Amino acid sequence: MAEHNFDVVILGGGSGGYAAALRSAQLGLSVALIERDKLGGTCLHRGCIPTKALLHSAEVADVTREASAFGISATLNGVDMPQVNKYRDGIVDRLFKGLTGLVSSKAITVVAGEGKLVAPKTISVNGENYTGKNVVLATGSFSKTLTGLDIGGRIITSEEALTLDFVPTKAIVLGGGVIGVEFASIWKSFGTDVTIIEGLPTLVPNEDAAVSKALERAYRKRGINFKTGVRFSGAQQSATGVVVTLENGETFDAELLLVAVGRGANTAGFGYEENGIKMDRGYVLTNDRLETSVPGVYAAGDIVPGLQLAHRGFQQGIFIAEEIAGLKPVTIDENGIPKVTYCEPEIASVGLSEAKAAEKFGAENISSYEYNLGGNGKSQILGTAGFIKLIRQNNGPIVGIHMIGSRVGEQIGEAQLIVNWEAFPEDVASLIHAHPTMNEALGEAHLALAGKPLHAHA
Ligand SMILES: Cc1cc2nc3c(=O)[nH]c(=O)nc-3n(C[C@H](O)[C@H](O)[C@H](O)COP(=O)(O)OP(=O)(O)OC[C@H]3O[C@@H](n4cnc5c(N)ncnc54)[C@H](O)[C@@H]3O)c2cc1C
């Protein structure tokens, strides 16, 4: 059996794995990157990029539909799904070519095939062994379902939803988290009658309560139906549709049921546990240096408990490469990871929600402020509603920023700098935000919290 030796052997070429490979190569380490499908992983091929392309097509549909409100006469004649998919695939293909070119321009050995850990630092692929002084596990995640709810036919996950060549007339989305509300948004804009079913009391339950409430208000206005705090009982499909039953006996029928109940770690059958790696419910446990219970074996991305986001995977991959190279990188603060949900209206947040901040510092030691986008010129021009909510420690830094409104995702860059640099509202208030931008609303919110509001009542 052929043996190959490297400084770093990486299993999985998604966001976490390829970031670790690129940074390791930059640092002069020899690298093998093992991938069974396509470099880029979920994010590029089945996640972030294709969904955001569909959301953009959805925005174009909305703008066309509402064009007359802006004095433009246009008619939305329909949604040509094959053309939408062609536009989306063109973007994915270009990025895939770019990534493949980038990786092949570095000293990275890409190994095609499914790898399995056969010793703590050896991965076997197609009968050949790849041994690393260090190993990085980055095998990603898969769409979960519920017990007794089999995926197939009219019951689909986000993977199948991305391959549809038609717009469903009626759809049920099981799960009101990020993936669920994004697909509900896309389909509604395309003309589908959508109902979201969520077991927890609110949509986007991981966001600040004010944001969840605002999204529910916006979805009601858009005609997106939802039921929260209800428990799914079962689904029956026929040749013509699917019927979903709740535990309370209520039923809903639709053409399709999208199951968006979260993602599980893709770790089964890869020899992790057998080689001494401590796991919890399929996830790989690490310390804050991202090292597993086996010294020299690291893990990155969705298999590590925490937020399942591509940029977290990138940062973890970079961190691991620098750790291996002895650069002693600063540990990643999970709380400082920005989150964006790209539905309409968008949601963007970083840091603590008001409830979490109150729990951590005591309700009497924090203050919050909500700047309504009604006072922001650019938001009025775009016709969007929403707010920017700040949470600060009294006489201390901003610890959470929560935003909702069209395009607020683009504001997350400044928001994450403010939270991660532990800026005080007074620091931000003295910085100038260009007029008229939506970004100005972030500046205005800080002016108000610093006690000197401009276009706002304090
Ligand atoms: C619908 C959807 C939308 C999303 N939108 C966003 C978004 O807008 N923003 C965001 O930040 N995140 C988003 N995400 C999440 C994001 O895609 C993931 O967090 C990210 O891809 C995780 O990276 P990863 O490297 O851990 O895993 P992955 O990207 O899943 O990569 C793992 C790779 O490992 C390979 N692999 C697995 N097992 C083996 C093996 N044994 N041998 C060889 N290769 C193997 C797989 O083929 C895959 O390429 C979205 C996810 C979904 C599903």
Side-chain angles (χ1 to χ4, degrees), residues 12 14-16 35-36 41-43 48 52 115 139-140 301-302 308-311:
S15 311
E35 171 56 53
R36 67 179 180 187
T42 305
C43 171
C48 328
K52 268 79 256 183
T139 45
D302 286 3
Q308 292 178 314
L309 291 170
H311 42 282

Side-chain angles (χ1 to χ4, degrees), residues 238-404:
S238 66
T240 51
V242 53
V243 177
V244 170
T245 311
L246 303 184
E247 275 184 1
N248 64 11
E250 226 178 323
T251 58
F252 298 85
D253 68 281
E255 194 180 344
L256 285 178
L257 167 62
L258 169 66
V259 181
V261 294
R263 296 184 57 86
N266 178 36
T267 52
F270 302 151
Y272 293 177
E273 217 152 17
E274 295 85 325
N275 283 286
I277 289 163
K278 283 219 176 86
M279 318 267 296
D280 180 23
R281 281 165 285 181
Y283 289 90
V284 174
L285 299 179
T286 69
N287 60 19
D288 65 356
R289 313 300 300 171
L290 297 171
E291 196 171 31
T292 68
S293 51
V294 176
V297 178
Y298 297 83
D302 286 3
I303 62 171
V304 181
L307 291 171
Q308 292 178 314
L309 291 170
H311 42 282
R312 172 177 178 259
F314 295 146
Q315 196 63 18
Q316 290 179 331
I318 293 169
F319 177 94
I320 292 169
E322 294 185 350
E323 180 77 353
I324 290 170
L327 299 186
K328 298 190 172 56
V330 177
T331 52
I332 298 168
D333 175 10
E334 289 271 323
N335 185 49
I337 296 172
K339 300 183 285 183
V340 179
T341 304
Y342 299 83
C343 50
E344 174 52 40
E346 279 186 358
I347 295 169
S349 63
V350 58
L352 301 172
S353 64
E354 187 162 4
K356 289 260 166 61
E359 206 178 291
K360 182 164 178 189
F361 303 112
E364 66 288 6
N365 298 318
I366 59 164
S367 320
S368 69
Y369 181 80
E370 255 182 54
Y371 180 82
N372 195 302
L373 293 182
N376 175 255
K378 189 61 190 271
S379 301
Q380 290 301 302
I381 291 165
L382 294 175
T384 189
F387 58 78
I388 292 184
K389 176 173 176 176
L390 306 179
I391 297 145
R392 82 173 298 182
Q393 251 180 295
N394 292 339
N395 303 312
I398 297 286
V399 295
I401 300 183
H402 305 272
M403 305 182 271
I404 182 163

